[in-house]
Short mmCIF file of all heavy atoms in Angstrom, two decimals:
data_model
loop_
_atom_site.label_atom_id
_atom_site.label_comp_id
_atom_site.label_asym_id
_atom_site.label_seq_id
_atom_site.Cartn_x
_atom_site.Cartn_y
_atom_site.Cartn_z
N LYS A 7 218.38 72.96 51.54
CA LYS A 7 218.99 72.62 52.82
C LYS A 7 219.64 73.89 53.38
O LYS A 7 220.30 74.63 52.65
CB LYS A 7 220.06 71.55 52.64
CG LYS A 7 219.51 70.20 52.19
CD LYS A 7 220.64 69.20 52.00
CE LYS A 7 220.10 67.85 51.53
NZ LYS A 7 221.18 66.86 51.30
N GLN A 8 219.43 74.14 54.65
CA GLN A 8 220.00 75.36 55.24
C GLN A 8 220.15 75.22 56.75
O GLN A 8 219.52 74.36 57.38
CB GLN A 8 219.14 76.57 54.92
CG GLN A 8 217.80 76.61 55.65
CD GLN A 8 216.98 77.85 55.33
OE1 GLN A 8 216.97 78.32 54.19
NE2 GLN A 8 216.27 78.37 56.32
N TRP A 9 220.99 76.09 57.31
CA TRP A 9 221.15 76.20 58.75
C TRP A 9 220.44 77.46 59.24
O TRP A 9 220.35 78.45 58.52
CB TRP A 9 222.63 76.28 59.12
CG TRP A 9 223.34 74.97 58.97
CD1 TRP A 9 223.94 74.49 57.84
CD2 TRP A 9 223.52 73.98 59.97
NE1 TRP A 9 224.48 73.25 58.07
CE2 TRP A 9 224.24 72.90 59.38
CE3 TRP A 9 223.14 73.87 61.31
CZ2 TRP A 9 224.59 71.76 60.09
CZ3 TRP A 9 223.49 72.73 62.02
CH2 TRP A 9 224.21 71.69 61.41
N ASN A 10 219.95 77.39 60.47
CA ASN A 10 219.38 78.56 61.15
C ASN A 10 219.97 78.66 62.54
O ASN A 10 220.36 77.65 63.13
CB ASN A 10 217.86 78.45 61.26
CG ASN A 10 217.16 78.49 59.92
OD1 ASN A 10 217.06 77.47 59.23
ND2 ASN A 10 216.67 79.65 59.55
N VAL A 11 220.06 79.90 63.05
CA VAL A 11 220.49 80.12 64.42
C VAL A 11 219.24 80.33 65.27
O VAL A 11 218.51 81.30 65.07
CB VAL A 11 221.42 81.34 64.55
CG1 VAL A 11 221.84 81.55 66.00
CG2 VAL A 11 222.64 81.18 63.65
N GLN A 12 219.01 79.41 66.18
CA GLN A 12 217.82 79.47 67.05
C GLN A 12 218.27 79.53 68.50
O GLN A 12 218.59 78.52 69.11
CB GLN A 12 216.93 78.25 66.80
CG GLN A 12 216.39 78.18 65.39
CD GLN A 12 215.56 76.92 65.12
OE1 GLN A 12 215.38 76.09 66.00
NE2 GLN A 12 215.07 76.80 63.89
N GLY A 13 218.36 80.75 69.02
CA GLY A 13 218.79 80.92 70.39
C GLY A 13 220.21 81.43 70.50
O GLY A 13 220.86 81.75 69.50
N LYS A 14 220.70 81.48 71.75
CA LYS A 14 222.04 82.01 72.04
C LYS A 14 222.78 81.08 72.98
O LYS A 14 223.46 81.51 73.92
CB LYS A 14 221.93 83.42 72.65
CG LYS A 14 221.24 84.42 71.74
CD LYS A 14 221.10 85.78 72.40
CE LYS A 14 220.38 86.77 71.48
NZ LYS A 14 220.21 88.09 72.13
N ASP A 15 222.66 79.78 72.71
CA ASP A 15 223.25 78.76 73.59
C ASP A 15 224.54 78.18 73.02
O ASP A 15 224.89 77.02 73.28
CB ASP A 15 222.24 77.63 73.82
CG ASP A 15 220.96 78.13 74.47
OD1 ASP A 15 221.06 78.97 75.38
OD2 ASP A 15 219.87 77.68 74.06
N GLY A 16 225.25 78.95 72.22
CA GLY A 16 226.47 78.44 71.62
C GLY A 16 226.17 77.69 70.34
O GLY A 16 225.11 77.85 69.71
N PHE A 17 227.08 76.81 69.94
CA PHE A 17 226.94 76.15 68.65
C PHE A 17 225.78 75.17 68.61
O PHE A 17 225.35 74.76 67.53
CB PHE A 17 228.25 75.44 68.29
CG PHE A 17 229.43 76.39 68.21
CD1 PHE A 17 230.73 75.92 68.35
CD2 PHE A 17 229.25 77.75 67.99
CE1 PHE A 17 231.81 76.78 68.28
CE2 PHE A 17 230.32 78.62 67.91
CZ PHE A 17 231.61 78.13 68.06
N GLU A 18 225.23 74.80 69.77
CA GLU A 18 224.03 73.96 69.79
C GLU A 18 222.80 74.73 69.31
O GLU A 18 221.75 74.14 69.06
CB GLU A 18 223.79 73.40 71.20
CG GLU A 18 224.82 72.36 71.63
CD GLU A 18 224.97 71.23 70.60
OE1 GLU A 18 223.93 70.65 70.22
OE2 GLU A 18 226.11 70.95 70.19
N SER A 19 222.95 76.05 69.19
CA SER A 19 221.85 76.87 68.66
C SER A 19 221.74 76.75 67.14
O SER A 19 220.78 77.25 66.55
CB SER A 19 222.05 78.34 69.04
OG SER A 19 222.03 78.51 70.44
N LEU A 20 222.71 76.11 66.51
CA LEU A 20 222.67 75.90 65.06
C LEU A 20 221.77 74.71 64.75
O LEU A 20 222.00 73.60 65.24
CB LEU A 20 224.09 75.63 64.53
CG LEU A 20 225.09 76.78 64.64
CD1 LEU A 20 226.50 76.28 64.37
CD2 LEU A 20 224.73 77.91 63.68
N LYS A 21 220.75 74.94 63.94
CA LYS A 21 219.78 73.90 63.60
C LYS A 21 219.74 73.70 62.09
O LYS A 21 219.69 74.67 61.32
CB LYS A 21 218.39 74.28 64.10
CG LYS A 21 218.33 74.63 65.59
CD LYS A 21 218.71 73.44 66.48
CE LYS A 21 218.62 73.83 67.96
NZ LYS A 21 219.06 72.71 68.84
N PHE A 22 219.75 72.43 61.66
CA PHE A 22 219.79 72.08 60.23
C PHE A 22 218.39 71.76 59.74
O PHE A 22 217.68 70.97 60.34
CB PHE A 22 220.72 70.89 60.03
CG PHE A 22 221.10 70.64 58.60
CD1 PHE A 22 221.51 71.69 57.77
CD2 PHE A 22 221.08 69.36 58.07
CE1 PHE A 22 221.88 71.45 56.45
CE2 PHE A 22 221.45 69.12 56.75
CZ PHE A 22 221.85 70.16 55.95
N ASN A 23 218.01 72.38 58.64
CA ASN A 23 216.71 72.16 58.02
C ASN A 23 216.94 71.66 56.60
O ASN A 23 217.54 72.36 55.78
CB ASN A 23 215.90 73.46 58.01
CG ASN A 23 214.48 73.28 57.50
OD1 ASN A 23 214.14 72.26 56.89
ND2 ASN A 23 213.64 74.28 57.75
N GLU A 24 216.49 70.47 56.30
CA GLU A 24 216.76 69.88 54.99
C GLU A 24 215.74 70.25 53.93
O GLU A 24 215.96 69.99 52.74
CB GLU A 24 216.85 68.35 55.11
CG GLU A 24 217.99 67.90 56.00
CD GLU A 24 218.43 66.48 55.71
OE1 GLU A 24 218.52 66.11 54.51
OE2 GLU A 24 218.70 65.75 56.66
N LYS A 25 214.61 70.88 54.32
CA LYS A 25 213.59 71.23 53.34
C LYS A 25 212.99 72.60 53.66
O LYS A 25 211.77 72.73 53.83
CB LYS A 25 212.49 70.16 53.27
CG LYS A 25 212.96 68.86 52.61
CD LYS A 25 211.80 67.93 52.34
CE LYS A 25 212.26 66.69 51.58
NZ LYS A 25 211.14 65.77 51.27
N ALA A 26 213.84 73.60 53.72
CA ALA A 26 213.36 74.96 53.94
C ALA A 26 212.83 75.53 52.62
O ALA A 26 213.31 75.20 51.53
CB ALA A 26 214.49 75.84 54.46
N GLN A 27 211.83 76.37 52.70
CA GLN A 27 211.24 76.97 51.50
C GLN A 27 212.15 78.06 50.94
O GLN A 27 212.69 78.89 51.68
CB GLN A 27 209.87 77.57 51.82
CG GLN A 27 208.79 76.53 52.07
CD GLN A 27 208.49 75.70 50.82
OE1 GLN A 27 208.29 76.23 49.73
NE2 GLN A 27 208.46 74.38 50.99
N ILE A 28 212.33 78.06 49.63
CA ILE A 28 213.08 79.12 48.95
C ILE A 28 212.11 80.28 48.66
O ILE A 28 211.03 80.05 48.10
CB ILE A 28 213.70 78.61 47.64
CG1 ILE A 28 214.70 77.49 47.93
CG2 ILE A 28 214.38 79.76 46.89
CD1 ILE A 28 215.25 76.83 46.69
N PRO A 29 212.44 81.50 49.04
CA PRO A 29 211.55 82.63 48.76
C PRO A 29 211.31 82.81 47.26
O PRO A 29 212.14 82.42 46.43
CB PRO A 29 212.31 83.83 49.33
CG PRO A 29 213.31 83.25 50.28
CD PRO A 29 213.66 81.90 49.75
N GLU A 30 210.18 83.38 46.91
CA GLU A 30 209.90 83.67 45.51
C GLU A 30 210.85 84.74 44.99
O GLU A 30 211.30 85.62 45.73
CB GLU A 30 208.46 84.15 45.34
CG GLU A 30 207.42 83.06 45.55
CD GLU A 30 206.03 83.54 45.19
OE1 GLU A 30 205.91 84.61 44.55
OE2 GLU A 30 205.05 82.84 45.55
N ILE A 31 211.16 84.68 43.70
CA ILE A 31 212.08 85.64 43.09
C ILE A 31 211.30 86.88 42.68
O ILE A 31 210.34 86.81 41.89
CB ILE A 31 212.76 85.02 41.85
CG1 ILE A 31 213.50 83.73 42.22
CG2 ILE A 31 213.73 86.01 41.22
CD1 ILE A 31 214.04 82.97 41.04
N GLY A 32 211.71 88.03 43.21
CA GLY A 32 211.10 89.29 42.82
C GLY A 32 211.65 89.80 41.51
O GLY A 32 212.56 89.22 40.91
N GLU A 33 211.13 90.93 41.06
CA GLU A 33 211.50 91.46 39.75
C GLU A 33 212.98 91.83 39.64
O GLU A 33 213.56 91.78 38.56
CB GLU A 33 210.64 92.68 39.42
CG GLU A 33 209.16 92.35 39.23
CD GLU A 33 208.33 93.58 38.90
OE1 GLU A 33 208.85 94.70 39.08
OE2 GLU A 33 207.17 93.42 38.45
N LYS A 34 213.60 92.21 40.76
CA LYS A 34 215.02 92.61 40.75
C LYS A 34 215.89 91.60 41.49
O LYS A 34 217.03 91.88 41.84
CB LYS A 34 215.17 93.98 41.40
CG LYS A 34 214.42 95.11 40.72
CD LYS A 34 215.08 95.54 39.43
CE LYS A 34 216.34 96.34 39.69
NZ LYS A 34 216.96 96.82 38.43
N ASP A 35 215.36 90.38 41.70
CA ASP A 35 216.06 89.37 42.48
C ASP A 35 216.80 88.36 41.60
O ASP A 35 216.46 88.17 40.42
CB ASP A 35 215.08 88.61 43.38
CG ASP A 35 214.59 89.44 44.53
OD1 ASP A 35 215.25 90.44 44.86
OD2 ASP A 35 213.53 89.10 45.09
N VAL A 36 217.75 87.70 42.23
CA VAL A 36 218.56 86.67 41.58
C VAL A 36 218.56 85.43 42.46
O VAL A 36 218.82 85.52 43.67
CB VAL A 36 220.02 87.16 41.38
CG1 VAL A 36 220.88 86.06 40.79
CG2 VAL A 36 220.04 88.39 40.47
N LEU A 37 218.26 84.27 41.88
CA LEU A 37 218.37 83.00 42.60
C LEU A 37 219.76 82.44 42.35
O LEU A 37 220.18 82.24 41.21
CB LEU A 37 217.31 82.00 42.12
CG LEU A 37 217.41 80.59 42.71
CD1 LEU A 37 217.13 80.62 44.22
CD2 LEU A 37 216.45 79.63 42.00
N VAL A 38 220.48 82.19 43.45
CA VAL A 38 221.86 81.71 43.36
C VAL A 38 221.98 80.33 43.98
O VAL A 38 221.48 80.09 45.09
CB VAL A 38 222.83 82.67 44.09
CG1 VAL A 38 224.26 82.13 44.05
CG2 VAL A 38 222.77 84.06 43.47
N LYS A 39 222.60 79.41 43.25
CA LYS A 39 223.00 78.12 43.82
C LYS A 39 224.37 78.34 44.46
O LYS A 39 225.35 78.65 43.76
CB LYS A 39 223.07 77.04 42.75
CG LYS A 39 223.45 75.67 43.31
CD LYS A 39 223.46 74.60 42.23
CE LYS A 39 223.76 73.23 42.83
NZ LYS A 39 223.77 72.17 41.78
N ILE A 40 224.43 78.23 45.78
CA ILE A 40 225.68 78.52 46.49
C ILE A 40 226.56 77.27 46.50
O ILE A 40 226.18 76.24 47.03
CB ILE A 40 225.39 79.00 47.92
CG1 ILE A 40 224.57 80.30 47.87
CG2 ILE A 40 226.68 79.21 48.70
CD1 ILE A 40 224.10 80.79 49.21
#
Side-chain angles (χ1 to χ4, degrees):
K7 294 178 181 179
Q8 71 179 37
W9 287 88
N10 294 83
V11 180
Q12 298 177 0
K14 300 178 181 179
D15 300 320
F17 300 157
E18 291 307 309
S19 298
L20 295 168
K21 306 297 181 183
F22 194 46
N23 186 345
E24 297 203 42
K25 288 190 176 182
Q27 288 295 311
I28 298 174
E30 289 188 13
I31 303 173
E33 293 180 347
K34 299 285 286 183
D35 288 340
V36 176
L37 175 65
V38 177
K39 182 178 183 180
I40 299 174

